[in-house]
Amino acid sequence: MELKKIKKLHDIKESDFINFDEDIKKIETKLGIEFPKILYDFYRKIGVHSSIFRWVLIDLNINNYGYLEINTDAQTGDKWAINITENNSLFFKPFKEKWVKVEYSVEEFLLHEIHVTSCFSLEFSAVGKYTEQEFIRKVNDGFFRKIKIEPIDLDIANIYSLKMNFYETCINDIVGINGDSMCYASNNKSDFEKVTSSFGEKWHVAGFGYLNE
């Protein structure tokens, strides 16, 4: 798994694992269910008090079908859920449409989602119009590595971040690219400024407009 990268990006410490079981039981009590082992095992690796844990657990809800909803896309309203009575199968629901079982595993979705979340939740992040090829050419004289997280390709989904490929140029950053849209994020201001300035084009920062303006 690429969770070592996530732990580094979000500075996850041993203190983030304190009272993990007790806090999970609080979630169980609130939802009225036993927390699925597949979720327990996954989140046990990133700590219940870490910032990334809070980001990805914000949408937990039991719906009328008995599915455990785990994610709602903020832009489209599309939802993801686990059928906790059927081997923890992963289901997807386009906005105002019916639930559909998908072939991806819960773990595949969570790994992808946790990397997407990292692209937008780190202290320094910005979005630019660059393709994968442009990015590779630009950093070809320096270090870069493709992170081994496969895109999630669903024809019924209208969520652009699902098809992101992920890269890193150093231990402190993450790059998400889909088509000609690129998100760059870092937990280090110096690394962030070095990469964004090297492209020589405008980067948009949510809530702040464009860099260098």
Side-chain angles (χ1 to χ4, degrees), residues 1-4 42 45 107 111:
M1 283 190 186
E2 295 281 356
L3 289 181
K4 287 184 178 179
F42 186 85
K45 297 169 184 175
E107 186 175 69
L111 274 173

Side-chain angles (χ1 to χ4, degrees), residues 3-212:
L3 289 181
K4 287 184 178 179
K5 173 72 176 179
I6 297 299
K7 289 182 178 181
K8 174 63 179 176
L9 285 175
H10 294 274
D11 192 27
I12 296 175
K13 305 179 179 68
E14 286 302 314
S15 59
D16 291 322
F17 295 87
I18 295 175
N19 298 326
F20 183 86
D21 288 336
E22 290 83 349
D23 287 325
I24 290 297
K25 286 189 179 299
K26 292 178 183 178
I27 296 174
E28 290 180 328
T29 299
K30 179 181 178 181
L31 295 174
I33 64 167
E34 181 179 348
F35 204 66
K37 187 176 186 301
I38 192 167
L39 288 184
Y40 179 94
D41 290 344
F42 186 85
Y43 292 121
R44 188 69 183 87
K45 297 169 184 175
I46 58 174
V48 72
H49 296 292
S50 65
S51 59
I52 191 67
F53 182 92
R54 293 191 293 273
W55 271 96
V56 295
L57 276 186
I58 195 170
D59 294 317
L60 283 184
N61 176 57
I62 294 290
N63 64 25
N64 293 333
Y65 295 91
Y67 298 167
L68 176 60
E69 296 181 7
I70 58 175
N71 182 273
T72 300
D73 185 77
Q75 302 299 318
T76 66
D78 295 350
K79 294 185 176 183
W80 298 85
I82 302 174
N83 186 343
I84 56 179
T85 63
E86 187 187 292
N87 299 318
N88 292 322
S89 302
L90 183 65
F91 279 73
F92 176 75
K93 181 184 177 299
F95 185 59
K96 293 185 177 181
E97 299 292 336
K98 295 181 179 180
W99 286 100
V100 178
K101 184 178 179 179
V102 298
E103 296 302 316
Y104 291 94
S105 69
V106 174
E107 186 175 69
E108 285 173 325
F109 169 72
L110 289 173
L111 274 173
H112 189 275
E113 184 63 22
I114 212 169
H115 282 77
V116 170
T117 300
S118 295
C119 287
F120 297 98
S121 64
L122 292 178
E123 184 176 2
F124 306 101
S125 66
V127 176
K129 288 291 183 180
Y130 305 102
T131 66
E132 196 167 10
Q133 291 71 30
E134 288 174 323
F135 167 70
I136 292 173
R137 282 199 304 269
K138 194 67 179 179
V139 301
N140 197 38
D141 58 347
F143 170 80
F144 76 98
R145 179 181 76 92
K146 187 170 185 178
I147 298 173
K148 296 178 181 178
I149 301 295
E150 294 301 318
I152 294 179
D153 193 357
L154 286 180
D155 291 336
I156 60 174
N158 189 32
I159 307 173
Y160 88 95
S161 60
L162 286 179
K163 296 184 180 180
M164 274 186 170
N165 286 301
F166 302 101
Y167 293 86
E168 63 176 344
T169 70
C170 68
I171 61 174
N172 297 316
D173 70 8
I174 185 170
V175 184
I177 305 176
N178 177 23
D180 65 350
S181 181
M182 171 176 162
C183 180
Y184 177 78
S186 176
N187 59 13
N188 181 284
K189 184 177 180 180
S190 177
D191 291 327
F192 176 77
E193 292 177 342
K194 177 181 178 181
V195 171
T196 54
S197 63
S198 69
F199 280 79
E201 299 289 343
K202 291 182 178 179
W203 290 81
H204 185 265
V205 180
F208 294 94
Y210 290 93
L211 294 177
N212 303 319

